[in-house]
Amino acid sequence: MSPQNGTVFEIGIDSFAASLPDPETGQVVPGAERIAQLMEEIETADRAGLDVFGIGEHHRAEFLDAAPAVILAAAAARTTRIRLTSAVTVLSAADPVRVFQDFATVDLISKGRAEIVVGRGSFGEAYPLFGFSMHDYDALFAEKLDLLLKLRDDTRVTWQGRFRAPLTGQAVYPRPHQSRLPIWLGVGGTPQSFVRAGTLGLPLMVAIIGGRFDRFRPLVDLYREAGVRASHAPEILKVGIHAMGFVAETNRAARDAFFPGWFRMVSTIGRERGWRGASREQFDAMCDPGGAYLVGEPRTVAAKAIAAARELGGISRLTFQMSSAAHDVDAMRRSIELLGHGVVPLVRAAR
């Protein structure tokens, strides 16, 4: 059955390389140790048969993923089959030439397993850090995406824009191992972003970090309608979901393992953004059947993932954000194994 019918889709993990204090001791794992743990997580995902592992990009103390291509290059040398992607690359604050070169290099190291998910970023730190203004938030992204797509298609590009020196036919190397480096467009809840992805015929990665899956269906429909209007074949209009998720032997064990780190992360970000306080009741509601968290034992998670795919009219990829549980190394390893050996077979069998 095709992904558009909702029951066959890739499953993977996204990590922000979170370096959060242990909820009980308050201690933070040294950076080098946390990166070593992340490498083990990616290798475990590769052995467990998962399809993809993504690394985010943030420029904050809580995360060690400021240079995702470097992490992915290290992972490429230690894995054999899993696809490796950003989740997301903050393209608005980056140089598209360097982004292309970095991921083309990862693609060469991995022998054709690299992808890019580009977006504008959910945090604003990258903009002043690299000399850009948040006032140009969307214009930066539109211009730089245009250049990145041209670089993907042609070795020599003639191009001019507002935010970068023009290109006058210079060759951009290296070229990737794949004939066409996959580029996804990462979106939140802005309708214009869904329409842009459809118009360009780019696969769509939707960050669903709260609420319900079905509330995104109108936006996904906008994406597909825009793609059809732009004469793109339906099979290239792929939809992916990025969602909070964690797997354990029981539903209670999964919730108890994931909640402490989730609470600390959401509380920290919530204070910055003026959100109301996080609570266990709020968390449990998101883990219940109507919520958008994929937290539980394998059958619970598989059933919820299949239902979410159908609610959205079919998906091509589902990635689990597990980073808030990273303080418990054993639970993280077991969760990845259960995702690969427990959830994936159940999803594959649901035809």
Side-chain angles (χ1 to χ4, degrees):
M1 188 175 289
S2 70
Q4 287 71 27
N5 289 323
T7 57
V8 176
F9 45 87
E10 296 176 325
I11 293 179
I13 295 169
D14 288 334
S15 174
F16 296 165
S19 183
L20 301 169
D22 186 288
E24 295 183 2
T25 68
Q27 294 182 334
V28 178
V29 173
E33 184 178 340
R34 176 67 190 105
I35 289 293
Q37 292 170 358
L38 177 59
M39 290 296 108
E40 291 292 336
E41 291 169 18
I42 300 172
E43 289 183 272
T44 300
D46 190 40
R47 291 192 300 268
L50 295 180
D51 298 297
V52 61
F53 203 106
I55 300 294
E57 180 189 340
H58 300 84
H59 302 272
R60 301 171 57 94
E62 302 96 329
F63 307 112
L64 302 176
D65 60 353
V70 176
I71 297 174
L72 293 171
R78 298 173 61 159
T79 55
T80 59
R81 54 166 302 281
I82 197 166
R83 297 195 67 78
L84 301 165
T85 184
S86 57
V88 302
T89 293
V90 185
L91 185 63
S92 303
D95 181 351
V97 173
R98 176 55 75 189
V99 169
F100 180 82
Q101 291 175 321
D102 285 348
F103 281 87
T105 303
V106 173
D107 202 52
L108 294 173
I109 297 169
S110 66
K111 296 183 173 60
R113 293 184 282 127
E115 301 185 3
I116 313 174
V117 180
V118 296
R120 295 176 293 187
S122 58
F123 295 92
E125 289 84 359
Y127 291 82
L129 183 63
F130 295 108
F132 298 103
S133 171
M134 286 291 291
H135 294 297
D136 298 319
Y137 183 73
D138 191 64
L140 281 162
F141 182 72
E143 178 178 299
K144 293 185 176 190
L145 178 59
D146 175 65
L147 176 54
L148 182 64
L149 294 176
K150 286 181 168 59
L151 293 167
R152 177 179 68 170
D153 292 339
D154 295 297
T155 302
R156 297 182 181 275
V157 172
T158 299
W159 176 92
Q160 186 168 352
R162 288 174 53 200
F163 303 105
R164 190 201 185 280
L167 294 176
T168 56
Q170 298 96 323
V172 177
Y173 296 111
R175 306 309 295 179
H177 183 77
Q178 297 173 86
S179 60
R180 204 162 189 253
L181 191 65
I183 298 175
W184 296 62
L185 202 156
V187 300
T190 306
Q192 294 86 346
S193 297
F194 286 79
V195 171
R196 171 159 46 206
T199 301
L200 293 172
L202 295 176
L204 182 77
M205 179 57 68
V206 187
I208 301 179
I209 59 174
R212 298 171 57 93
F213 289 112
D214 58 6
R215 75 183 180 91
F216 285 85
R217 178 61 184 268
L219 294 170
V220 171
D221 287 344
L222 278 178
Y223 162 71
R224 291 181 171 130
E225 291 163 5
V228 170
R229 284 198 303 272
S231 301
H232 296 298
E235 58 267 23
I236 75 167
L237 299 174
K238 298 179 180 180
V239 175
I241 299 173
H242 160 103
M244 296 280 187
F246 197 78
V247 193
E249 276 77 6
T250 67
N251 290 334
R252 183 57 182 265
R255 294 188 184 195
D256 288 348
F258 197 67
F259 173 74
W262 172 90
F263 178 80
R264 182 178 286 271
M265 183 166 62
V266 171
S267 297
T268 300
I269 296 170
R271 283 193 296 271
E272 296 177 8
R273 301 187 176 186
W275 297 346
R276 64 185 178 90
S279 68
R280 180 63 190 244
E281 291 75 18
Q282 176 190 2
F283 173 78
D284 284 338
M286 295 303 304
C287 296
D288 286 343
Y293 289 0
L294 300 160
V295 177
E297 54 84 26
R299 290 190 179 278
T300 296
V301 171
K304 198 169 185 181
I306 293 165
R310 288 173 173 156
E311 287 169 357
L312 293 172
I315 63 173
S316 296
R317 177 175 292 178
L318 171 61
T319 56
F320 286 63
Q321 172 50 258
M322 297 182 174
S323 288
S324 62
H327 62 276
D328 190 333
V329 176
D330 291 337
M332 277 290 291
R333 182 183 65 251
R334 184 60 178 149
S335 181
I336 295 168
E337 292 170 345
L338 286 170
L339 184 59
H341 299 307
V343 175
V344 169
L346 293 171
V347 171
R348 298 286 185 262
R351 296 176 179 272

